[in-house]
Amino acid sequence: MPLLQARLNLPMPDWQGRSAWVIGASTGIGRATAEALQARGARVVVSARDGAALQDFANSRPGCLALALDVSQPGTVAAAAQAVHTALGAAPDLVLYCAGYYRPLRATAFDLEEMQKHLAVNYVGVLHVLDAVLPMLLQAGQGHIALVGSVAGYRGLPMSLAYGPTKAALNNLAENLYLDLHPQGLGVSIINPGFVETPLTAQNSFRMPALISPAEAAQHILQGWARGQFEMNFPRRFTRWMRLLRCLPDRWYFASVRRITKA
Ligand SMILES: NC(=O)c1ccc[n+]([C@@H]2O[C@H](COP(=O)([O-])OP(=O)(O)OC[C@H]3O[C@@H](n4cnc5c(N)ncnc54)[C@H](OP(=O)(O)O)[C@@H]3O)[C@@H](O)[C@H]2O)c1
């Protein structure tokens, strides 16, 4: 375990009797993480737009609740947050923001609508959730907020014009949240996966290095929470190179990315 990352948060190794609200849980990483939390004894509330997929998930899992919402519609987020509090009788122990949107885009084909859609789902949606849950978490004086970023947020990448900046913003937001909320007894984590095989990456036409399954991603995430990490990035065989690239001087960084991606 990287020593410097350990125990920035209260470790969460045991989910028995705990509760989690997973937003973006109808498919992919969110669904797999909700499944892993539920299997370890957590009471899980799953949210996304696709109500039928959520209900399908909840039907076969006792105690699990499905609440449809659209993160770009603050009214639906606020109503769902209230419903979560009512159903659990308290603020959730964990709020995981896993909703996300990605389309490859370059500046040479700039598309304002696409740029704004990424912003709405990947960043402004988080603000809607924070607006709805921070008062109840602060009042409880405990709980944990986890955001799913991406290694694409570390630095600029080809085809990442719309997606990358939203993930960079989440990394910065998480650091700000940590500074303000840790002294209040709350945990904050940022999850930066490499490539995970989900509907989001199915559109990629290139070979994705070190591709892992959503279930593997969920294991990494639960392990990070159990260790009390602030940042989780995985799989390390891929993210260690991304972290190294992040530290390069600009001239070397741009040349390396061009050479590696052939962009
Ligand atoms: N897959 C990867 O390689 C990878 C790598 C790094 C980071 N990530 C990040 O991981 C997170 C999960 O992505 P994934 O790969 O698991 O993709 P995914 O399977 O496409 O999941 C995206 C989730 O977001 C939900 N969502 C999208 N728009 C929404 C909206 N307006 N309101 C509510 N929910 C919405 C989707 O549900 P509905 O369509 O039902 O609303 C779905 O549950 C994203 O933040 C993504 O950026 C993924």
Side-chain angles (χ1 to χ4, degrees):
M1 169 179 24
L3 199 58
L4 290 174
Q5 281 196 12
R7 297 199 186 229
L8 284 169
N9 288 304
L10 198 65
M12 299 189 291
D14 181 13
W15 289 96
Q16 206 68 44
R18 293 192 158 223
S19 58
W21 184 20
V22 183
I23 300 159
S26 59
T27 56
I29 300 169
R31 187 186 155 101
T33 308
E35 196 162 25
L37 287 165
Q38 204 267 347
R40 279 163 184 72
R43 172 125 199 248
V44 180
V45 182
V46 285
S47 288
R49 289 167 305 175
D50 186 346
L54 299 174
Q55 202 50 59
D56 187 50
F57 179 92
N59 283 346
S60 53
R61 292 169 177 88
C64 186
L65 177 67
L67 287 174
L69 57 72
D70 183 334
V71 295
S72 64
Q73 305 294 323
T76 68
V77 175
Q82 268 318 310
V84 169
H85 193 278
T86 304
L88 300 173
D93 294 307
L94 168 74
V95 178
L96 170 62
Y97 191 92
C98 203
Y101 177 74
Y102 165 68
R103 291 288 177 277
L105 194 66
R106 280 183 187 277
T108 45
F110 191 85
D111 182 333
L112 181 61
E113 207 175 306
E114 277 296 346
M115 298 293 288
Q116 287 173 331
K117 180 148 189 208
H118 282 79
L119 196 60
V121 178
N122 296 354
Y123 185 73
V124 181
V126 180
L127 307 186
H128 295 154
V129 171
L130 290 175
D131 188 46
V133 302
L134 274 179
M136 63 173 87
L137 290 174
L138 284 167
Q139 198 187 4
Q142 70 98 37
H144 186 111
I145 299 168
L147 308 178
V148 179
S150 167
V151 292
Y154 285 172
R155 293 191 76 171
L157 289 169
M159 308 303 279
S160 202
L161 184 80
Y163 183 75
T166 64
K167 297 300 185 177
L170 285 189
N171 273 266
N172 191 291
L173 179 69
E175 291 187 355
N176 278 282
L177 289 171
Y178 184 85
L179 287 169
D180 292 345
L181 298 179
H182 186 66
Q184 307 297 319
L186 304 189
V188 177
S189 53
I190 178 80
I191 298 155
N192 290 318
F195 290 109
V196 185
E197 194 169 15
T198 69
L200 186 131
T201 47
Q203 63 194 309
N204 284 340
S205 52
F206 57 90
R207 191 190 67 82
M208 292 179 271
L211 185 68
I212 61 172
S213 71
E216 285 174 273
Q219 293 315 313
H220 283 290
I221 293 169
L222 264 70
Q223 192 177 66
W225 287 327
R227 289 173 172 169
Q229 284 175 223
F230 168 72
E231 196 220 349
M232 292 157 223
N233 59 80
F234 53 80
R236 299 292 288 189
R237 65 184 184 277
F238 177 66
T239 58
R240 78 163 60 96
W241 296 110
M242 297 301 289
R243 288 171 65 81
L244 191 70
L245 281 173
R246 180 162 72 164
C247 302
L248 290 181
D250 296 341
R251 180 179 301 278
W252 293 358
Y253 176 74
F254 292 133
S256 304
V257 167
R258 285 220 167 90
R259 198 168 52 245
I260 294 165
T261 63
K262 299 177 182 41

